Structures are given as C-alpha cells and as structure tokens.
Amino acid sequence: MRSGSTPWLRAALLLVLAVLLAAVAAAEGSKSGSGDGKAHNYEEALRKSLLYFEAQRSGRLPHGQRVPWRDHSGLTDGLEQGVDLVGGYYDAGDHVKFGLPMAFTVTMLSWSMLEYGDDVAAAGELAHALEAIKWGTDYFIKAHTQPDELWAEVGDGDTDHYCWQRPEDMTTSRQAYKVDRDHPGSDVAGETAAAMAAASMVFRKSNPHYAHLLLHHAQQLFEFADGYRGQYDSSIAEVKSYYASVSGYKDELLWAALWLHRATGKAAYLDYVVDNAHDFGGTGWAITEFSWDVKYAGVQILAARLLLRGEHTAEQKSTLERYQAKAEHYVCACLGRNAQAGGEDANVERSPGGMLYIRQWNNMQYVTNAAFLLSTYADYLAEAGVGTVTCAGGGTAGAGEVAALARAQTDYVLGTNPRGVSYLVGYGPKYPARVHHRAASIVPYKHSKQFIGCSQGFDHWFGRRSSNPNVLVGAIVGGPDRRDRFRDNRDNYMQTEACTYNTAPMVGMFAKLNRMAREEREEREQRAATARSGTAAEV
C-alpha cells in the first residue's frame, strides 16, 4: 500500500482482511465440525469416553470411582465354583460378564494407547486410560486359573434378561463357565491372550513387573488356545444366543500370534502367522467388517504394518504382501472403491448421511472400529512414505482419503449427521436420553437402597417415557439405521444399547483428532499472525 493512502482507507482494508481471515478460519474449522458448523471438542469426547468404562465396572469399586450412581456389585462372582471372579466389566446394559467381548474391549483400548498414548497423555487422561485397561486385565489374571483353564462367562444371559435390576440388586444366576482341555475355547482364549499381550506393552514403562505378568499369561493362553482347538460356544452353550463365535477361532489365533510377536519380537509368532496364513483364512478372507467376532481385517492390517516397516524375512515377504492385499480390500471397501467384480459385498454400504452401514443391530460398533483401523493404516502408510492403497479391480485411493474417512466417521458419531445427534452419550447438546441400560435407567443405589426386584424394575423404570435418571456419559449407543433414522426409546435395544467395544477404539481416535485439531488451530493462528504482520508492514 502506498504511504499516501488515507487513514480511513487503511482502516477499511484492515477490517476487510480481518473478516476474510475469520471466514477462512471458520471454513477450515467446519471441516471437522458438528452439525451446526462448530468444531468438535475431541478432548471433551476423550475424557467422557474413558468415564464410560467406570460405569461398566463390576466388583468392588475403588475410592477414586468417578461415576457416583454406581456402587459395588457382583461381589460373590465365582464363589459357587470356588474361584474369585470378582471384577471385570459388564459388556452392555445387562449384567453378564462375557469374556470374548470384554477381552476385545481391552485389546482395542490397549491398541489405542500403543498408537496414540502420547496424545492421551497430552490431554491429561493417561491415568484414566491405564485404569480402564487394568480393570480388565486384573480380572483376566483371576479368570486364568490354570495354564489350560480360563473362566469365560459369569452370569446367565437368559435369566439376566428376565430382570430389569440395578447391578447392586442382582438376584439372577451368577453361574460361571470355563473353557479347558476337555471343553476348548480357542477364540476366547486367543482374544484374551491378545488383550494381555497388547496391555503388557502399555504397562512396560510404568509398571514393568505387571507387564511381565501379563505377557506370561498371554503366552500360556496362546499355547492353550492353539494346543486345544475348538470354538468356545460349543463348550459353553449358554453364550450361543449372545456372543456366538460366527467367524470361528482361526482369526483369533492369528490375531493373538501377531500381538505376541509385537510384544516379544520372537520370530516363532510371526512364523506362525505366515505358516497358517492360507489354512486359517488370513490371506483368503476379503472382509468388510471388523468386530469382537470377526478379526480378519485387524489381522491383515497388523500384518501389513510388518511389511511396511520391513520387519520380516525375505521368505515371509510374499505372504505378508497377500495379507496387505486383503487389508487394502477392507480399506477400499470402506471407501467404496473396490470394483464391483468383487461381488455386491465388495464395498460397505453408506447411509445418506455418510455413515458406514453393516447391519441394523448395533451398527455403531462397526463404524468406530472402522474409523480406528482406517486411521492406524493411514498412519502406517505415512510412516512408510506410501501415498496410495490399491483397491480390488486395479483402482487406487490416496492415503489422505483413508485418514479423512476415519475422521468423518468419528465426526458422524459426535453429531455431524443429518439428525445432529451425538451418539456419544453426554457429548453435545443432543444425545440419546433413554439408553437401554439397567443401572442408568433406575434411581441410583446410593440415593435409594430399597431393593428393586426383577419385575419391579420393568414395571416402575423400564417402561417410563422420561429420560434415564443417570446419564451414561461416554457410552456409544447402537446408532441409527441405514437411512440415518434413530428412535430414542429404551425398548429399542438394537439402537439404544451401548457396548464397551463401541467406545474402546474411539479412545485412540479422540486423542489423535484432539492433537490434530490443536495443530490445525496453531497453524491457522500462525497464518493469521503472519498475514496481519505483512499487512501492517505494508501500511
């Protein structure tokens, strides 16, 4: 600007520049924003997601318990069998302790920490994250009573579902069920081995003795799972109606071996993954979902990580490349980039609002797990300096697109969706108020210790139209249908029940996105400051 310009003109131009900078900042902020255009507060989401696990605790609650409407429960678990099974997590809105989904929850919490632990610590949530993992692993140590014996369930789903009670009032069966040599359960033993191996790495610095103990249990459990093969739902009939092992146990054996390889560095575990790649379906199954049951996509991405990092022998390379091809089939399926020659199931369906859709019952578990897998794979590609993924049919997709889809799915959960509803309970102005959850839907035990029986809970609390008296902060509910429709009713358990394995992968996602959002803010502020200083110099 020429020095002869008038003061009012300089002021006007500075005002225009300020407006333009504000508009640019608002536009960039809305890229990761909520339905009303405001940027999401990922740090708040992270804090609340970890709080949820305290609401799901079974056993004697510690003095530092932050969820005030919960109290001690399940204090006689295992007593009839002569074993201490007090502790662990209730998986959802009822009070059975199911070993398979509980172990998967701990594996995903641990994986979140291994990838994004520094981001969790930067947000001040490291201690809470470690507590969430340890509450599960402490229980697994108790449940693994012999090298070839693992208690895999406490409580009976059928009798539990006849009652609508607070966990503190439980009158239902607390029968415990185990797998052993005569009644094998390679899937539940394999997943528990994976959880303890992954957790051992999380605790390696802060608690090396505990980490060593976890790894010892993990190795024993893997030997048991591999040495005595069989599906746990064939040994424990009571689990079949709730957490049947539809995918079988071979994915869990590969999954456990990969986690043990990462935890120990022992070549034998990677040899196992390579030698069994074909027979166990690791390089055969082209999968479009990842869950507590179906681990193949996670297996394939972990194997691809080893390839990208060069952590393999020359002989193992071709097998790991086949694992990576299947990993990229999953990634491209989420992106919708696989050629339809792969069949009508080559890609994942999307709702009109952009949500990945697998099936109507608790679809949000597939969304959150996909977000995490996509995010970690994008990070592995970036670390290796690889810019694209190869899709079935010969197409490609940019690694940046993979990361962007992970963020978009996370933002959908937080309210960037057609309804403007946050499916993370307690986050944002609008979230489910009638979550299908016994403890949350009944007056807190600490406020009213009057016993509430099975039918009384149904009569007085389940059928109420009002919001739950307790907010299940941090829970991620089952979520909307394929048309983004959601009915916030307590009896609509397909959509309003929350599960621990829905929230677990989001701990890592929220931590990573919180760091990214902070970096983006700092970058915008730096650009704005540079622009202002440049304008001032011209003036």
Side-chain angles (χ1 to χ4, degrees), residues 81 83 85 143 145-146 148-154 175-185 188 224 232 235-236:
Q81 288 74 35
V83 59
L85 296 177
T145 42
Q146 298 289 337
D148 299 334
E149 181 177 86
L150 176 68
W151 294 87
E153 180 179 339
V154 179
Q175 173 74 35
Y177 306 88
K178 68 178 179 178
V179 292
D180 54 28
R181 294 184 181 190
D182 297 325
H183 309 89
V188 67
F224 166 46
Y232 89 122
S235 298
I236 305 174

Side-chain angles (χ1 to χ4, degrees), residues 4-339:
S5 300
T6 58
W8 67 265
L9 180 57
R10 290 200 300 272
L13 287 170
L14 286 170
L15 178 62
V16 169
L17 179 62
V19 170
L20 286 172
L21 286 170
V24 170
E28 292 190 6
S30 67
K31 291 177 185 176
S32 62
S34 59
D36 57 9
K38 295 180 182 177
H40 285 302
N41 187 334
Y42 298 115
E43 185 173 328
E44 178 191 350
L46 171 62
R47 286 198 310 271
K48 290 180 172 177
S49 68
L50 286 166
L51 193 64
Y52 166 61
F53 294 98
E54 297 189 24
Q56 294 302 110
R57 285 172 170 171
S58 180
R60 184 167 294 280
L61 304 185
H63 293 299
Q65 171 80 11
R66 296 179 296 160
V67 178
W69 46 269
R70 282 297 323 284
D71 209 335
H72 311 310
S73 64
L75 299 183
T76 62
D77 285 358
L79 184 63
E80 291 180 29
Q81 288 74 35
V83 59
D84 178 8
L85 296 177
V86 176
Y89 287 112
Y90 304 121
D91 72 297
D94 49 22
H95 304 136
V96 183
K97 295 192 301 201
F98 292 105
L100 183 56
M102 192 194 306
F104 179 69
T105 294
V106 172
T107 306
M108 295 308 294
L109 281 171
S110 299
W111 196 0
S112 285
M113 292 300 294
L114 292 172
E115 302 295 343
Y116 307 118
D118 289 344
D119 299 330
V120 173
E125 290 296 313
L126 177 60
H128 293 137
L130 295 180
E131 286 170 8
I133 294 170
K134 194 170 186 292
W135 195 266
T137 52
D138 282 352
Y139 175 76
F140 297 145
I141 290 171
K142 289 182 174 184
H144 185 211
T145 42
Q146 298 289 337
D148 299 334
E149 181 177 86
L150 176 68
W151 294 87
E153 180 179 339
V154 179
D156 172 63
D158 292 341
T159 58
D160 185 273
H161 282 207
Y162 293 144
C163 288
W164 194 263
Q165 289 177 293
R166 299 174 296 198
E168 296 82 5
D169 289 328
M170 268 192 292
T171 56
T172 50
S173 169
R174 300 306 289 171
Q175 173 74 35
Y177 306 88
K178 68 178 179 178
V179 292
D180 54 28
R181 294 184 181 190
D182 297 325
H183 309 89
S186 301
D187 25 33
V188 67
E191 183 60 61
T192 309
M196 297 176 99
S200 75
M201 289 181 276
V202 175
F203 288 103
R204 190 169 286 166
K205 287 184 179 179
S206 63
N207 194 340
H209 173 75
Y210 188 66
H212 178 76
L213 178 63
L214 292 177
L215 193 55
H216 174 70
H217 279 279
Q219 290 172 313
Q220 279 194 343
L221 280 165
F222 178 72
E223 290 177 14
F224 166 46
D226 187 45
Y228 299 89
R229 296 180 185 176
Q231 289 189 200
Y232 89 122
D233 56 7
S234 296
S235 298
I236 305 174
E238 289 77 7
V239 80
K240 234 177 174 60
S241 300
Y242 302 95
Y243 285 103
S245 184
V246 177
S247 71
Y249 59 79
K250 293 178 180 178
D251 51 340
E252 276 86 11
L253 289 177
L254 294 171
W255 177 245
L258 279 165
W259 279 115
L260 279 161
H261 175 260
R262 187 163 172 177
T264 66
K266 291 182 178 178
Y269 291 117
L270 182 53
D271 290 339
Y272 182 95
V273 173
V274 170
D275 293 345
N276 291 290
H278 175 73
D279 291 345
F280 284 12
T283 54
W285 284 107
I287 296 293
T288 57
E289 66 180 78
F290 175 61
S291 68
W292 60 265
D293 178 29
V294 187
K295 311 286 164 47
Y296 282 110
V299 165
Q300 291 153 358
I301 282 176
L302 285 178
R305 172 182 176 273
L306 295 173
L307 179 69
L308 290 165
R309 293 168 64 94
E311 297 177 2
H312 56 81
T313 65
E315 293 76 19
Q316 294 167 335
K317 184 179 179 181
S318 61
T319 302
L320 291 178
E321 286 174 340
R322 291 195 291 276
Y323 271 111
Q324 184 182 33
K326 290 300 187 289
E328 298 202 340
H329 180 280
Y330 172 82
V331 171
C332 291
C334 293
L335 289 166
R337 295 290 180 82
N338 286 323

